[in-house]
Amino acid sequence: MRAISVDRTRRGRSISPCPFTGAGQVAPVLFWNTTAPSHAREPGGVVMCGISGWVEYSGLGPDAQAVAEKMNDEHVHRGPDGAGTWLSRYAVLAHRRLSVIDVENGAQPMVLPGPTASEVRLVLTYNGELYNYRELRSELASRGHAFRTSSDTEVILAAWAEWGVRAVERFNGIFAFAVWDEREETLWLVRDHLGVKPLHYHHEGDRLIFGSEAKSVLAHPGVSTAIDEDGLRQLVLPLLKFPGTNPYRGVSEVLPGQVLEFSRRGVRTTRYWDLKSLIVRPAEANDLDDAAEELRSLLDDTVARQTISDVPLCTFLSGGLDSSAITAIANGLPGRRGVGSFSVDFTDAAGSADSRSALDRRYALEAAEFIGSHHSNIVLDSSRLADGAVRDATVRARDLPNGFGDLEMSLLLLCGEVRKHATVALSGEAADEILGGYRWFQEPAAVGADTFPWIADSPAHGYLHQRVLSTIDPQLVKQLRIDEYLSDEYATALGGLAFDPALSRAERRHREIIYLAVTYFLTMLLDRSDRLSMAAGLEMRVPFCDHRIVELVVTLSQSIHNAGGREKGVLRAAVGDLLPEGVLTRKKSPYPTSPDPDYSRKLEAQVASVLAAPPDGLRDIFAAHVLDPARIADSARSHGLVSNFEGEVILNFASWLRQYSPQLVV
């Protein structure tokens, strides 16, 4: 049986796909055309990494090395080609690396020596990419800094040495890193502006433990997998990601745009970038042409920066406005003609014309033909999609049962297939949140609701929220006071927004929804994308998350956002010359879900198997009617925004309970 097939369509000559190269080898750039431009071959930063470690002022103890290696091994998927640790009396920093550039000299943790070679000044463990590292490197060199490597890691170290914590204000990129100052005995944790790269920590007394993913923090013997009432509230509300929190008790997340400082004085946090202070400002541009021109200029610059790579690079192309715009701009760069693009499809829809994936396929092909990208349609078979091992892998990737049915498995499998050809993929993620693209920016019931619009009682995502809660035990929902919790969180989210008084009520509400979308919804999607792409060894870059683009568009008026009577009207105006009319005017379509009835049948059999011997804790979470064997067919039928959703939720929780054995403290 065919598990996965690749349907290739291209303009012009017939060309074989780029061959897969083994770990540690630099594959040819995935453009299927000619030589990549010279700037694309310049070494940059490490593409994929996992970071971890801890500081303990009473001393690390004799097992520090073994514990650090255990934590580090939890990130092997983020960096399978190399591992390193650095220890001192009070601090240990660890790093997992994928060796794609500067293999000999870019290893981490990286040390900046003190006045003498035997002294250590700073130590860095870093995950991400600094897109303006070349400019910073030149400026730092003019200030007397010498560089041993060609990596952006060393640029971050030199910048920190030169400007201290203020250095982060100069960074353009996606990053999460830890800096230990050996002389000051102080640790800093830093996360990028929008939170593209994850960073978790656990603080207790004189010890702070950190890691890219929760699994690394949980690997430390000082952290448990306990889930209390706050954690359960987050688990049963998967459409929201509550800022700075994590369902595991005692585990937190560094906020996007935040610096956390840990010293003997304790923990102190500051924000170097905060959407709240930006979104309340008066509109800086009220002319559509000016706004579109500025947006286009920023998109061109951002995509150019994010395609600087000496590893294979491609784009995700669904045929929607956002991914098509990114693909077109990337393909138009000097030497980039013929960039590889990928979309997802399903076996039952491959010959269909009316499913969501079939619709994406049609528009993706139209966009690829017009743009000139070399497009591949990845067709996923229901047997592979329903494989229990694939579900376990998605749950393991996210450390939690939160998910959206087969959308999780299909994204993981798609990333795995793309990784055979490329190391980096550009995505259109975030455009809908910052430009008001979702239905809940327009749906009156959602806009007017006194809650997060996408969970309001409306067809704009809200029905999915209701479906989730309908599966949970009613007594547990009552005990967790879900409605009160949501009301308090919503009031807290909007409480600090002091809008310019010149803004109309409608404009204020439009900006409120953007703020909520970026801080409670986009963060959830970015976490999902990072975890599942990294689990497949693929780096996902998100040009619309460039903080300069966000700063521009969030203060544009609602009329400019909806110019021409369409959502994301300013983006359509900005890229109108790059796309075919059909794609340019296409109505937004959700990420596709499998329409294959065979997938539903397989899911039904899996739910029956789980209910025959449910793992401990499953009956404490779900309503009795959901776990009734006589009603399995109801939970595993294809309907709505996400097919088979009730059955998917049961299977996700069962997988999580089996793999993590969490202690439910309620």
Side-chain angles (χ1 to χ4, degrees):
M1 177 178 290
R2 181 181 65 180
I4 297 175
S5 64
V6 180
D7 172 30
R8 297 195 175 277
T9 57
R10 56 181 62 82
R11 299 178 69 181
R13 59 196 175 97
S14 176
I15 304 175
S16 299
C18 174
F20 175 74
T21 55
Q25 294 178 298
V26 178
V29 180
L30 184 69
F31 295 120
W32 292 298
N33 54 355
T34 57
T35 304
S38 60
H39 72 267
R41 297 192 301 273
E42 292 182 15
V46 173
V47 176
M48 287 178 292
C49 302
I51 67 172
S52 57
W54 78 94
V55 169
E56 190 161 0
Y57 290 111
S58 59
L60 296 179
D63 298 329
Q65 179 69 37
V67 173
E69 290 177 359
K70 182 181 178 182
M71 293 173 64
N72 211 15
D73 286 346
E74 292 293 341
H75 288 148
V76 66
H77 57 288
R78 300 185 74 94
D81 298 334
T85 57
W86 180 92
L87 291 92
S88 66
R89 182 178 180 182
Y90 302 118
V92 55
L93 277 66
H95 189 266
R96 291 290 324 194
R97 185 187 189 212
L98 175 68
S99 302
V100 293
I101 46 97
D102 203 4
V103 176
E104 296 298 324
N105 300 313
Q108 294 188 49
M110 186 174 284
V111 174
L112 182 70
T116 66
S118 62
E119 291 182 274
V120 171
R121 180 178 177 185
L122 300 172
V123 187
L124 171 69
T125 182
Y126 159 60
N127 167 34
E129 308 196 53
L130 205 60
Y131 300 127
N132 64 336
Y133 79 97
R134 292 181 300 171
E135 297 96 316
L136 289 173
R137 180 188 174 101
S138 296
E139 182 178 357
L140 289 163
S142 70
R143 291 172 174 262
H145 291 266
F147 294 90
R148 300 178 295 106
T149 75
S150 53
S151 71
D152 59 348
T153 308
E154 192 175 14
V155 171
I156 291 177
L157 263 179
W160 201 274
E162 179 69 29
W163 298 301
V165 70
R166 298 295 299 270
V168 71
E169 299 172 7
R170 298 169 177 260
F171 294 167
N172 178 282
I174 53 177
F175 48 81
F177 61 84
V179 177
W180 169 252
D181 188 315
E182 179 73 354
R183 291 184 301 185
E184 299 293 332
E185 296 181 347
T186 300
L187 175 76
W188 284 274
L189 301 180
V190 184
R191 197 173 179 199
D192 63 66
H193 302 72
L194 273 295
V196 177
K197 289 298 174 185
L199 187 52
H200 298 74
Y201 70 95
H202 169 86
H203 171 233
E204 185 176 8
D206 71 345
R207 181 172 62 195
L208 187 141
I209 305 161
F210 67 90
S212 291
E213 298 183 5
K215 61 173 63 67
S216 178
V217 176
L218 295 172
H220 191 286
V223 187
S224 75
T225 57
I227 303 286
D228 58 18
E229 288 191 352
D230 273 344
L232 273 174
R233 291 184 184 107
Q234 294 176 52
L235 291 181
V236 303
L237 295 168
L239 290 176
L240 294 156
K241 185 168 178 57
F242 299 96
T245 66
N246 185 275
Y248 293 105
R249 186 169 65 183
V251 178
S252 302
E253 296 185 21
V254 177
L255 289 168
Q258 186 179 68
V259 176
L260 181 151
E261 177 186 342
F262 180 56
S263 67
R264 293 182 184 276
R265 296 183 298 275
V267 170
R268 186 172 71 95
T269 60
T270 56
R271 298 293 288 271
Y272 68 88
W273 191 87
D274 190 358
L275 181 64
K276 182 174 291 186
S277 64
L278 298 169
I279 205 163
V280 298
R281 297 176 180 175
E284 295 186 7
N286 288 306
D287 180 82
L288 173 62
D289 291 338
D290 290 345
E293 182 180 356
E294 189 171 356
L295 176 56
R296 174 63 175 275
S297 177
L298 284 172
L299 279 170
D300 287 346
D301 180 71
T302 298
V303 174
R305 289 176 182 273
Q306 296 193 19
T307 51
I308 295 176
S309 174
D310 59 348
V311 296
L313 180 145
C314 68
T315 71
F316 286 124
L317 177 60
S318 68
L321 176 65
D322 314 328
S323 64
S324 298
I326 295 301
T327 302
I329 294 172
N331 194 73
L333 292 168
R336 293 298 194 186
R337 189 68 178 172
V339 66
S341 58
F342 292 86
S343 59
V344 67
D345 205 345
F346 303 94
T347 47
D348 189 63
S352 170
D354 56 3
S355 70
R356 289 210 299 268
S357 62
L359 193 65
D360 276 1
R361 182 194 332 125
R362 177 165 68 86
Y363 281 110
L365 293 179
E366 181 182 351
E369 285 290 327
F370 187 88
I371 292 167
S373 67
H374 284 293
H375 189 67
S376 301
N377 187 47
I378 305 297
V379 183
L380 303 180
D381 183 87
S382 62
S383 295
R384 183 67 175 134
L385 198 63
D387 188 340
V390 175
R391 182 181 301 277
D392 286 347
T394 63
V395 171
R396 182 69 184 172
R398 300 194 68 181
D399 293 315
L400 296 167
N402 292 7
F404 300 98
D406 65 298
L407 277 66
E408 308 295 298
M409 282 79 77
S410 67
L411 180 56
L412 179 67
L413 291 174
L414 172 63
C415 289
E417 286 302 300
V418 171
R419 180 61 182 91
K420 295 177 180 179
H421 310 287
T423 308
V424 176
L426 270 63
S427 166
E429 199 84 85
D432 285 310
E433 287 80 8
I434 65 175
L435 286 163
Y438 289 114
R439 185 175 178 181
W440 31 269
F441 277 92
Q442 319 293 335
E443 176 72 33
V447 173
D450 190 21
T451 189
F452 300 93
W454 58 93
I455 67 170
D457 187 10
S458 83
H461 269 138
Y463 294 162
L464 183 58
H465 166 70
Q466 293 177 3
R467 286 172 67 186
V468 176
L469 286 184
S470 71
T471 68
I472 307 303
D473 179 73
Q475 290 303 313
L476 180 60
V477 173
K478 183 178 180 180
Q479 178 182 346
L480 296 178
R481 304 186 306 279
I482 293 298
D483 289 342
E484 180 183 340
Y485 181 72
L486 282 171
S487 179
D488 289 346
E489 189 69 28
Y490 180 72
T492 299
L494 298 182
L497 295 177
F499 288 106
D500 183 91
L503 294 172
S504 68
R505 182 177 180 181
E507 289 285 354
R508 290 198 302 271
R509 183 54 179 167
H510 183 66
R511 293 203 190 179
E512 283 181 349
I513 298 177
I514 291 175
Y515 178 76
L516 295 171
V518 172
T519 53
Y520 284 81
F521 193 78
L522 176 61
T523 48
M524 174 266 296
L525 294 180
L526 291 175
D527 183 75
R528 170 180 179 265
S529 296
D530 176 84
R531 300 304 192 87
L532 296 177
S533 61
M534 284 294 179
L538 183 72
E539 171 76 37
M540 192 178 295
R541 297 180 181 175
V542 277
F544 283 104
C545 282
D546 188 294
H547 68 278
R548 300 169 302 162
I549 293 176
V550 176
E551 289 168 6
L552 168 68
V553 302
V554 297
T555 58
L556 295 177
S557 68
Q558 187 176 15
S559 63
I560 290 182
H561 277 180
N562 299 331
R566 293 293 308 276
E567 77 285 353
K568 294 186 288 190
V570 64
L571 179 59
R572 297 176 200 274
V575 299
D577 61 317
L578 299 176
L579 304 176
E581 186 67 18
V583 172
L584 193 63
T585 59
R586 180 188 177 187
K587 183 179 179 181
K588 178 174 174 55
S589 177
Y591 186 87
T593 185
S594 174
D596 193 345
D598 189 50
Y599 177 76
S600 295
R601 287 190 289 269
K602 288 180 170 62
L603 199 75
E604 186 175 342
Q606 291 174 356
V607 173
S609 177
V610 165
L611 296 188
D616 290 343
L618 196 69
R619 296 193 181 280
D620 297 326
I621 297 171
F622 289 98
H625 73 273
V626 175
L627 302 180
D628 184 353
R631 300 186 62 175
I632 290 174
D634 292 337
S635 66
R637 71 180 191 275
S638 180
H639 66 91
L641 182 65
V642 178
S643 299
N644 321 291
F645 192 75
E646 288 75 9
E648 302 277 12
V649 171
I650 293 172
L651 292 176
N652 280 358
F653 268 85
S655 174
W656 174 65
L657 290 167
R658 186 179 66 253
Q659 292 190 77
Y660 284 78
S661 301
Q663 178 187 2
L664 303 181
V665 185
V666 294

